[in-house]
Amino acid sequence: MHMKFYGRTQEIQSLERIRLQSLKSACFTVVVGRRRIGKTSLILESVKGEKFLYLFVSRKTEYLLCADFQKEAMNALGLQIYGEVTRFRDIFQQLLQYATKEHLILIMDEFQDLNQVNPSIFSEIQNLWDQYKDQARIHFIACGSIYSLMMRIFEHNKEPLFGRLTSKMMVKPFPVSILKEILRDHNPGYTAEDLLCFYMLTGGVAKYITLLIESGAFTASQMMDTILLPDSPFLNEGRDLLVSEFGKEYNTYFSILQLIATGKTLQSEIDSIIGKNTGAYLTNLEKEYSLICRNKPIFARPESRKARWSIRDNFLQFWFRFLFPNQSLVEMGKLDMLREYVDKNYDSYSGVILEKYFRDMIAETLPITDIGSYWDNKGEHEIDVVAVNRFEKWALIGEVKRNSSKISLPILEGKAKKIKPLLDGYHITYRALSMEQMDQIE
């Protein structure tokens, strides 16, 4: 079965607005987002019914890539590029010349990989772009998944393509509301457990959602079954996604991500287990790869030393928590043992994910200016959710547990004494947030 296209309304509108603009003048758009997020489907959805040329940059020699691109140009546009073309710039020039006569939508996917094909292609693109952009009617969409590389190519003032962009689009995971819509379409009577598991395993990443839905996994236990099937693409996904990005250092990066996923969130803990200062690795994981983020207690000063690290992506967090440390079980085909292990730890693990779920959901549905959690200098007096509206001076302070009977609001109010002074004059509501509140918070 083929899944319908969900969400992305704003992105489609933006791309359409730029397409109309490109009927008159050259436009250059960059679309960035993690692999599997659905960038390509989004772009292809936005050009439905239009004539366009789609070029995928695979890591081949420039000569072989050009042969592919020549065929594509012929098939999509009927544009004959004669002769034996060995340089990408010759194809690009012909496409720009074509665009001076006819409107062209040109999509280049995994654009950052041109760096591996031949790094000088970027300056050749820039020279030709500058030469033709005044008379070409083209919408050039460069799409890429390695965030750091894409940003360097376009935002580093020493790079040739700096300042050439008309617009930049970050494709993010689907929000909670779209996850609910997808589940509702396929499993109208879904439970809170189904929704939490769906959120925990996909984190709103389009590819993972599609894999689950297409294999008919609409309940929590079906989703777990699907992930742990012998030939499941999920089993090696973390490795498939990251090994080539990390290069030779991948072992150290994987160890750090595994530690963060198991709850070792302070650099001091990570350093002592790995046996060296991991500061530079953590900075890379945050800045270069956008894989982890530094969390500070809400209201903490920017220079606060109390930072805890977390993995941004729900699926990767699950992978580094359960699948990567147990690769030997995967290789021996003992997936039933792995399933038992996951089941045993499921409640405590999904409880932590539930906190993230509520922060995401509240950020999406309530008019707030800030959201986070709180802990004091000793790492105590933890508060799961603090959501604030600075303009209207109100705050929601929440305790998150899977089971509402384990939440005591008087204890929560006691813990909140620490932050009361920072919310002077605010109207404060204390809330118990459990599986029962997953659908709505008034």
Side-chain angles (χ1 to χ4, degrees):
M1 58 175 266
H2 195 66
M3 232 174 90
K4 77 173 202 199
F5 188 84
Y6 286 93
R8 308 285 187 223
T9 340
Q10 277 171 313
E11 290 91 338
I12 298 262
Q13 283 166 355
S14 302
L15 288 168
E16 176 58 15
R17 198 183 62 241
I18 302 164
R19 183 186 72 80
L20 293 171
Q21 190 184 329
S22 73
L23 294 171
K24 297 192 272 299
S25 58
C27 297
F28 194 159
T29 301
V30 153
V31 178
V32 189
R34 103 195 247 313
R35 286 210 230 128
R36 325 273 203 254
I37 200 83
K39 300 179 294 295
T40 312
S41 345
L42 162 65
I43 294 168
L44 295 178
E45 179 74 16
S46 78
V47 296
K48 255 194 185 154
E50 304 294 330
K51 199 152 93 168
F52 64 90
L53 173 59
Y54 172 84
L55 303 176
F56 181 85
V57 180
S58 43
R59 299 177 180 187
K60 302 178 169 176
T61 64
E62 191 169 357
Y63 174 79
L64 287 172
L65 206 55
C66 287
D68 292 349
F69 290 174
Q70 258 174 305
K71 280 204 252 350
E72 295 295 339
M74 186 65 209
N75 295 340
L77 308 171
L79 172 64
Q80 184 78 54
I81 297 178
Y82 290 104
E84 194 178 13
V85 183
T86 57
R87 302 298 301 267
F88 174 72
R89 61 168 184 234
D90 301 332
I91 290 186
F92 194 58
Q93 180 162 19
Q94 297 222 22
L95 290 171
L96 287 165
Q97 283 168 350
Y98 172 91
T100 58
K101 300 188 277 296
E102 291 202 45
H103 179 250
L104 171 63
I105 299 174
L106 171 63
I107 302 160
M108 286 192 77
D109 208 342
E110 295 300 358
F111 185 77
Q112 79 278 340
D113 284 347
L114 286 171
N115 202 29
Q116 305 238 341
V117 178
N118 171 2
S120 65
I121 292 179
F122 297 127
S123 45
E124 294 169 352
I125 288 179
Q126 176 237 314
N127 287 330
L128 289 164
W129 183 258
D130 290 353
Q131 191 182 326
Y132 283 94
K133 69 172 189 291
D134 295 334
Q135 63 271 27
R137 294 179 305 126
I138 181 172
H139 185 193
F140 181 18
I141 305 174
C143 178
S145 59
I146 301 179
Y147 182 78
S148 56
L149 212 50
M150 290 295 282
M151 291 305 103
R152 257 207 310 278
I153 295 168
F154 292 104
E155 295 189 351
H156 205 285
N157 58 12
K158 299 210 172 28
E159 291 293 332
L161 288 172
F162 177 73
R164 296 302 183 289
L165 286 187
T166 321
S167 54
K168 176 177 105 190
M169 185 180 288
M170 278 289 304
V171 182
K172 297 195 162 65
F174 286 130
V176 167
S177 57
I178 298 277
L179 289 181
K180 290 181 181 173
E181 185 191 335
I182 296 171
L183 263 189
R184 202 176 305 122
D185 284 351
H186 296 91
N187 173 10
Y190 73 84
T191 64
E193 196 70 76
D194 298 335
L195 176 58
L196 180 57
C197 191
F198 197 44
Y199 172 80
M200 174 179 98
L201 294 175
T202 67
V205 173
K207 178 72 180 168
Y208 306 147
I209 292 172
T210 308
L211 284 170
L212 289 176
I213 297 298
E214 288 183 347
S215 54
F218 313 130
T219 66
S221 68
Q222 290 169 336
M223 290 173 207
M224 264 314 160
D225 291 343
T226 304
I227 287 228
L228 298 176
L229 282 172
D231 55 350
S232 152
F234 291 99
L235 296 175
N236 285 309
E237 172 69 0
R239 193 168 264 128
D240 295 346
L241 268 185
L242 300 173
V243 167
S244 61
E245 283 197 29
F246 291 151
K248 295 189 292 294
E249 291 277 10
Y250 87 88
N251 276 323
T252 308
Y253 283 119
F254 271 45
S255 307
I256 293 171
L257 289 165
Q258 182 185 336
L259 288 172
I260 296 174
T262 46
K264 304 274 183 276
T265 57
L266 299 171
Q267 187 185 334
S268 52
E269 300 178 289
I270 297 170
D271 287 354
S272 70
I273 297 170
I274 289 196
K276 60 176 165 185
N277 182 321
T278 56
Y281 292 95
L282 290 164
T283 304
N284 273 345
L285 285 168
E286 179 189 27
K287 301 269 192 298
E288 285 282 304
Y289 299 111
S290 308
L291 283 169
I292 61 175
C293 48
R294 183 194 289 267
N295 308 301
K296 299 193 179 69
I298 192 164
F299 312 127
R301 286 189 297 282
E303 69 282 2
S304 159
R305 308 289 300 153
K306 293 182 288 195
R308 297 173 174 180
W309 291 100
S310 66
I311 297 178
R312 281 172 175 275
D313 188 284
N314 287 3
F315 174 75
L316 284 175
Q317 181 172 328
F318 178 85
W319 193 83
F320 277 105
R321 170 68 180 81
F322 293 107
L323 303 180
F324 174 61
N326 297 302
Q327 287 291 298
S328 58
L329 291 179
V330 174
E331 279 151 26
M332 292 189 290
K334 300 194 168 184
L335 294 170
D336 44 350
M337 279 181 73
L338 182 52
R339 175 65 188 263
E340 274 171 38
Y341 174 71
V342 173
D343 287 347
K344 204 168 76 206
N345 292 281
Y346 186 87
D347 279 8
S348 61
Y349 180 78
S350 62
V352 177
I353 298 293
L354 189 59
E355 292 177 27
K356 191 175 178 187
Y357 172 90
F358 276 115
R359 287 194 290 270
D360 280 358
M361 178 196 164
I362 290 169
E364 188 190 352
T365 53
L366 296 183
I368 56 166
T369 54
D370 306 86
I371 190 160
S373 17
Y374 174 81
W375 57 93
D376 65 12
N377 287 344
K378 296 199 184 76
E380 294 162 1
H381 291 93
E382 299 208 16
I383 302 173
D384 300 328
V385 177
V386 183
V388 176
N389 180 324
R390 280 199 310 263
F391 305 147
E392 295 170 11
K393 291 218 174 321
W394 58 260
L396 181 153
I397 293 181
E399 170 91 15
V400 179
K401 290 262 191 294
R402 287 177 52 97
N403 182 343
S404 57
S405 66
K406 295 195 171 148
I407 301 176
S408 152
L409 288 182
I411 292 181
L412 178 62
E413 288 186 42
K415 287 201 263 185
K417 284 201 176 76
K418 284 273 199 184
I419 48 176
K420 274 292 248 314
L422 303 165
L423 294 169
D424 191 35
Y426 275 63
H427 174 71
I428 300 178
T429 322
Y430 296 94
R431 295 299 301 269
L433 303 172
S434 68
M435 303 282 281
E436 292 140 41
Q437 281 76 40
M438 281 180 75
D439 258 339
Q440 83 283 346
I441 295 177
E442 282 74 54

